[in-house]
Amino acid sequence: MKVTDHIHKSKKPLFSFEILPPLKGKSIQSIYDGIDPLMEFGPKFVNVTYHREEFVYKERENGLLEKIAIRKRPGTVGICAAIMNRYDVDAVPHLICGGFSKEETENALIDLQFLGIDNILALRGDSIKTESSFRPHKYGHKYAVDLVNQVSDMNRGNYLVEDIKLEPTDFCIGAAGYPEKHFEAMNLSTDLQYLKDKVDAGADYIVTQMFFNNAKYFEFIDACRAIGIEVPIIPGLKPIKTLNHISFLPKFFQIDYPEELSRELLKCKKNEDVTQLGIEWGIHQSKELKEAGVPCIHYYTMSNSSSVRAIAEEIF
Ligand code: FAD
């Protein structure tokens, strides 16, 4: 079932979460171990991230270095199928532009349709770690809006090369939004305009980047509505968990901690202190968002569901 149908059917905010495929070589049991503790809270959909290739240099016998592409976390589509089969819940694969030609994207979408997957989250993807900026595939898409357009075209029966209409797909399309602006955007208003382009191209709903200050989310909603973005906007929350997160999350995701939270974070001496504070802050944010009547609260587990479980126990 489509994410938007779940939202429209529900009278209260839904619970959903995102997981990462395990590192290559780890079994799918590690995924189930993360999902099992969250199932009693009735998630309607589970997102599975997509991780593109990284380049490593391997020394050959002749002493020369060889550049090799490896994917450390493969398996997004297989995990989606396994989740739907095991838990009878909808899985939402993340589909990225990076590394894919348009034809490969089309074929991936056909695979997803055959598996009975109704939803995708359409993203540009980040640059490869060793590249300073995002480089699109030679025959691929530069921006997420182009990917949204491709999926929308398939939903109308327009595939890439055929000049006759084919069987239309029926994907529900999600897109990413950034309450604190995407890090490459010139300013929030250009970023919002590009977000509107994604919605105009066919995105059915938006999931936000993590934020720790609900006021930023509410301002973002107002700004989106003011320029005519009408689709549901799902807030994404991440419980802070370790001392390392204190600097890593703002740096990596270009988000700010509100002053009250940063004051409390400064008092933390060990990981356990941060974990406890992250849970308390997550409960505080979730309560306020729930009271405001958001369509769903989406949690980033980053493959560790214990904090999300502690929050869900209080909220759902
Ligand atoms: P876009 O919407 O294409 O925007 C990228 C930048 O380009 C923005 O600064 C925007 O303002 C600008 N822009 C957009 N359109 C245009 C245009 N026409 N002309 C000029 N500028 C334009 N990454 C992964 O690799 N795998 C994942 O699984 C993944 N999951 C995510 C889930 C969520 C909920 C979120 C919020 C992010 C996720 N990301 C993931 C990260 C995401 O891929 C990056 O943030 C990426 O840098 C931007 O993706 P986007 O889809 O927002 O891109």
Side-chain angles (χ1 to χ4, degrees):
M1 189 164 141
K2 294 180 175 185
V3 166
T4 45
D5 289 339
H6 284 298
I7 290 173
H8 294 136
K9 252 181 77 179
S10 177
K11 292 191 173 58
K12 53 183 185 147
L14 302 174
F15 167 64
S16 67
F17 57 91
E18 173 189 291
I19 57 160
L20 276 62
L23 286 168
K24 191 184 270 183
K26 279 201 163 190
S27 88
I28 196 157
Q29 188 55 45
S30 61
I31 290 291
Y32 299 149
D33 291 345
I35 296 179
D36 285 345
L38 301 177
M39 287 315 291
E40 70 180 85
F41 307 106
K44 291 289 179 255
F45 56 95
V46 176
N47 281 49
V48 184
T49 55
Y50 188 92
H51 301 260
R52 64 178 298 186
E53 72 277 18
E54 291 175 26
F55 288 110
V56 293
Y57 290 88
K58 217 166 178 182
E59 193 171 344
R60 292 289 163 214
E61 276 176 13
N62 59 8
L64 293 176
L65 294 177
E66 189 185 358
K67 189 178 176 187
I68 300 172
I70 51 161
R71 281 190 61 210
K72 289 188 176 166
R73 293 181 186 272
T76 301
V77 174
I79 291 168
C80 284
I83 290 174
M84 287 175 59
N85 185 38
R86 183 180 167 107
Y87 297 103
D88 195 21
V89 66
D90 280 295
V92 184
H94 292 192
L95 205 62
I96 63 169
C97 305
F100 285 90
S101 69
K102 291 174 197 167
E103 200 199 347
E104 286 162 345
T105 298
E106 184 171 275
N107 292 337
L109 286 161
I110 290 169
D111 276 343
L112 296 176
Q113 189 195 26
F114 288 165
L115 286 168
I117 290 172
D118 297 326
N119 303 282
I120 57 123
L121 187 67
L123 302 147
R124 187 194 69 179
D126 279 322
S127 55
I128 296 181
K129 273 186 188 154
T130 43
E131 290 178 352
S132 58
S133 60
F134 177 80
R135 281 203 217 148
H137 186 287
K138 193 174 172 195
Y139 302 110
H141 298 302
K142 192 171 179 192
Y143 295 110
V145 65
D146 306 321
L147 176 56
V148 174
N149 267 316
Q150 184 177 2
V151 185
S152 294
D153 273 346
M154 283 180 74
N155 280 350
R156 288 189 286 266
N158 300 325
Y159 288 56
L160 284 176
V161 283
E162 282 75 2
D163 45 17
I164 46 159
K165 279 204 188 282
L166 299 177
E167 183 114 346
T169 53
D170 190 19
F171 289 107
C172 175
I173 308 169
Y178 302 82
E180 295 175 66
K181 174 180 110 53
H182 182 259
F183 64 96
E184 291 166 22
M186 287 185 286
N187 55 50
L188 189 56
S189 76
T190 58
D191 205 24
L192 279 170
Q193 200 49 57
Y194 292 131
L195 179 59
K196 180 158 189 308
D197 290 348
K198 292 193 269 191
V199 174
D200 292 344
D204 297 292
Y205 70 99
I206 293 163
V207 188
T208 76
Q209 181 59 280
M210 67 182 72
F211 57 89
F212 293 89
N213 184 348
N214 284 352
K216 302 241 178 181
Y217 169 79
F218 295 127
E219 285 163 17
F220 178 69
I221 297 285
D222 289 345
C224 286
R225 301 304 181 223
I227 60 164
I229 297 175
E230 305 287 350
V231 298
I233 303 176
I234 299 175
L237 298 185
K238 156 93 191 110
I240 316 173
K241 218 167 155 55
T242 63
L243 288 166
N244 180 43
H245 281 166
I246 295 176
S247 54
F248 174 77
L249 296 180
K251 180 175 166 219
F252 193 81
F253 296 103
Q254 304 279 315
I255 40 108
D256 281 349
Y257 294 135
E259 273 188 31
E260 189 187 343
L261 176 60
S262 54
R263 267 198 306 275
E264 294 305 313
L265 282 170
L266 286 174
K267 294 179 196 161
C268 293
K269 299 278 178 274
K270 46 188 195 304
N271 285 337
E272 291 74 15
D273 302 338
V274 182
T275 303
Q276 186 52 34
L277 176 59
I279 292 169
E280 286 165 17
W281 195 262
I283 292 172
H284 156 75
Q285 279 195 279
S286 304
K287 275 190 178 155
E288 195 179 37
L289 292 167
K290 196 178 172 192
E291 275 162 25
V294 298
C296 174
I297 309 180
H298 186 70
Y299 295 90
Y300 297 106
T301 68
M302 287 189 177
S303 295
N304 189 325
S305 55
S306 58
S307 293
V308 175
R309 182 183 160 84
I311 296 168
E313 278 172 344
E314 296 292 319
I315 304 294
F316 296 97

